[in-house]
Amino acid sequence: MISNLKYMEGVQSLKDVDVTGKRVLIRVDFNVPMDSHGNISDDRRIRAALPTINYCIDHNACSITLVSHLGRPKGQYEERYSLRHIQKRLERLLQKRVVFVDNFEERKDEIATCSLERVFLLENIRFEPGEKKNDPELARKLGSLCDVYVNDAFGTSHRKHASTYGITDYVDTKVAGFLMMKEIEAFSKALEKPMRPVTLVVGGAKISSKITLLKSVMPKIDKLIIGGAMSNTFLVAQGYDMQESFYEEEYVPTAREVLDEARKHKVKIYLPVDVVITNDIEHPIDVKVVPAQDVLETFKAVDIGPATVKYFSEAIGLSNTVIWNGPMGIYEIEKFSKGTFKIASAIADSYAYTIVGGGDTADAVEKAGEKENFSFISTGGGASLELLEGKILPGFEKLDRKEDAATLS
Ligand code: ADP
Ligand code: 3PG
Ligand code: MG
């Protein structure tokens, strides 16, 4: 029996098909971090998709349609999540004009016509209510735009959405892009036979979508370090009053289950012992370091404290594989970035095989000046955690398979 990772490596890639004269639709993940002025703060995810897009341009695809989401809009238009914000950067990086399409159905014929303006960027696909529901009608409409479907959205490959999953039912040729293949190869190297101890460092703010899968990674890891808003939920589960800190009440029982599961598998858990707190994130004048048990009334925990940095760093130094997703605090604000940047350096300085994943975490690593010092920087956050869980990611599941590729038995 082959492993799920090997199964995913067995999909056909863009190199296995001929795109000349074909209409190609590429699902990319342009969900990039933006600053408070709406500027792209890290364009890594756009740059990571360029090899696939350029390959289609250079091999004379008839039209290239790029589909992505940005942020988490609720199935309708919201200006701040428009992919128009991405168009200019993409044009600069591709050195090519990109035609923005706000209503793809109306411009279907244009997309089918071969022309010199061959790269189309569709508006945020999550403005369509059917995207997240994996609606077959939306999947069919998207499928009708192309002859070849290329999934290169590794960061979104853990989602069963119309543009990442359902669309494969309506296209004859469906393959993985170069980013998908590169990511899966790097993870296979790290996860097939990892050097133990394996340490997973998690943080960030996407608690609901990540906390549940922490339960199932226990057999794969030896230590679990938890920081950022994620740790607030765990500290509440430990009985601490986190006051105004961001955490998810609904997931406190899940945090308890994660802790129980860790005990069962003898996984060591590391939670913050001190935290940086403020009563005003926008105007952080009153900022203090307190024990995690002593968050002051009206204050919120916004970063891990110096004692925690030391405690986490020592555990990281004793690991042979470190996988990191999720910043340790609100790293976008300078005063609350120390914990994240110091943990980035601790991981970078370790002698372990180090993988970091996630749009914001990769941005933080870059800002910490440590991007050259990681073994691999993945574009996937939630996706990399689901890989660690051992799942076949939906984005790979229904792609064409190489003729000699083994199937699961
Ligand atoms: P990634 O994009 O790397 O997968 P997430 O999107 O899950 O990571 O989380 C990143 C976000 O988490 C950042 O915007 C950061 O400001 C936020 N964050 C981290 N710690 C805290 C905290 N203590 N309180 C509020 N937000 C936090
Ligand atoms: C990410 O940033 O992790 C991906 O783009 C997926 O976004 P999602 O968690 O909103 O599905
Ligand atoms: Mg993020």
Side-chain angles (χ1 to χ4, degrees):
M1 195 167 112
I2 63 158
S3 71
N4 286 345
L5 277 159
K6 281 272 168 295
Y7 180 86
M8 286 182 272
E9 281 188 287
V11 298
Q12 282 199 11
S13 90
L14 189 51
K15 276 264 165 70
D16 299 314
V17 294
D18 182 11
V19 295
T20 310
K22 305 265 172 61
R23 296 170 308 154
V24 181
L25 183 145
I26 311 174
R27 180 34 161 120
V28 284
D29 184 345
F30 287 168
N31 186 24
V32 288
M34 303 280 215
D35 69 15
S36 53
H37 309 291
N39 296 315
I40 298 168
S41 53
D42 181 15
D43 61 11
R44 168 181 305 275
R45 280 181 165 175
I46 306 176
R47 285 184 284 111
L50 297 179
T52 293
I53 304 170
N54 280 325
Y55 183 92
C56 294
I57 294 172
D58 292 350
H59 286 77
N60 297 314
C62 159
S63 68
I64 297 158
T65 305
L66 304 176
V67 179
S68 179
H69 73 284
L70 176 63
R72 291 179 163 177
K74 304 264 173 288
Q76 60 181 34
Y77 181 81
E78 265 182 81
E79 199 278 331
R80 69 185 168 131
Y81 293 133
S82 173
L83 275 170
R84 271 192 195 279
H85 301 304
I86 309 291
Q87 182 186 6
K88 277 264 155 56
R89 183 69 60 97
L90 180 62
E91 286 185 328
R92 204 192 307 159
L93 290 169
L94 278 176
Q95 302 203 348
K96 188 166 180 61
R97 191 170 163 221
V98 172
V99 182
F100 189 77
V101 178
D102 45 18
N103 186 329
F104 71 85
E105 283 232 87
E106 278 173 12
R107 297 178 66 181
K108 209 172 144 178
D109 295 341
E110 203 183 323
I111 293 173
T113 313
C114 282
S115 73
L116 285 177
E117 293 172 348
R118 290 171 307 177
V119 182
F120 298 94
L121 173 66
L122 302 198
E123 181 53 289
N124 191 339
I125 198 64
R126 287 193 186 168
F127 290 167
E128 300 281 341
E131 167 64 358
K132 289 178 80 169
K133 294 183 196 137
N134 191 25
D135 172 41
E137 192 45 28
L138 176 62
R140 189 192 58 75
K141 285 182 189 159
L142 286 171
S144 72
L145 297 177
C146 66
D147 309 303
V148 177
Y149 167 72
V150 183
N151 192 349
D152 213 20
F154 178 76
T156 323
S157 59
H158 56 316
R159 305 287 182 216
K160 263 191 184 172
H161 295 170
S163 68
T164 59
Y165 189 76
I167 184 171
T168 52
D169 289 333
Y170 303 93
V171 188
D172 288 337
T173 307
K174 48 243 172 188
V175 296
F178 298 133
L179 176 62
M180 289 276 272
M181 297 311 283
K182 182 174 142 191
E183 295 265 8
I184 206 71
E185 274 161 33
F187 276 100
S188 291
K189 215 187 273 173
L191 302 179
E192 277 285 348
K193 282 196 192 89
M195 282 276 285
R196 300 194 92 134
V198 176
T199 298
L200 174 63
V201 184
V202 286
K206 285 183 178 171
I207 299 164
S208 52
S209 61
K210 291 176 187 169
I211 195 167
T212 316
L213 54 90
L214 291 182
K215 280 200 282 183
S216 33
V217 296
M218 297 304 170
K220 308 271 166 52
I221 63 173
D222 303 291
K223 301 171 196 231
L224 175 59
I225 295 179
I226 312 170
M230 176 71 90
S231 63
N232 295 338
T233 308
F234 282 83
L235 292 168
V236 171
Q238 300 279 67
Y240 302 167
D241 188 344
M242 296 307 288
Q243 304 290 352
E244 301 300 311
S245 303
F246 176 66
Y247 70 95
E248 291 198 29
E249 185 67 50
E250 208 188 314
Y251 286 90
V252 171
T254 317
R256 287 200 193 97
E257 286 161 24
V258 171
L259 297 174
D260 287 345
E261 207 57 33
R263 258 188 298 275
K264 254 189 250 163
H265 288 88
K266 298 196 169 34
V267 171
K268 294 178 189 159
I269 296 272
Y270 301 77
L271 283 167
V273 289
D274 62 345
V275 286
V276 176
I277 58 168
T278 184
N279 55 359
D280 190 342
I281 293 176
E282 303 294 312
H283 309 98
I285 294 157
D286 201 356
V287 180
K288 302 180 186 1
V289 175
V290 295
Q293 293 91 325
D294 289 333
V295 178
L296 304 178
E297 236 175 87
T298 76
F299 280 62
K300 43 198 124 211
V302 286
D303 195 7
I304 55 172
T308 305
V309 167
K310 197 154 185 286
Y311 171 53
F312 285 4
S313 301
E314 279 174 9
I316 288 164
L318 291 170
S319 313
N320 281 324
T321 303
V322 182
I323 299 158
W324 178 27
N325 168 244
M328 297 289 106
I330 308 180
Y331 75 96
E332 299 94 330
I333 298 173
E334 205 192 332
K335 273 199 173 164
F336 314 138
S337 64
K338 277 193 196 137
T340 303
F341 291 175
K342 287 189 172 162
I343 292 302
S345 300
I347 300 176
D349 289 346
S350 76
Y351 293 96
Y353 184 85
T354 52
I355 298 194
V356 55
D360 292 298
T361 319
D363 178 30
V365 164
E366 173 113 29
K367 293 204 163 79
E370 296 287 7
K371 74 168 174 166
E372 305 301 336
N373 305 323
F374 277 75
S375 310
F376 184 68
I377 301 184
S378 168
T379 52
S384 55
L385 291 180
E386 291 204 14
L387 262 190
L388 182 62
E389 244 187 314
K391 281 192 180 152
I392 294 179
L393 297 176
F396 287 86
E397 203 181 306
K398 299 204 293 174
L399 300 181
D400 297 333
R401 302 197 54 72
K402 290 195 175 102
E403 262 164 37
D404 56 349
T407 46
L408 290 174
S409 56

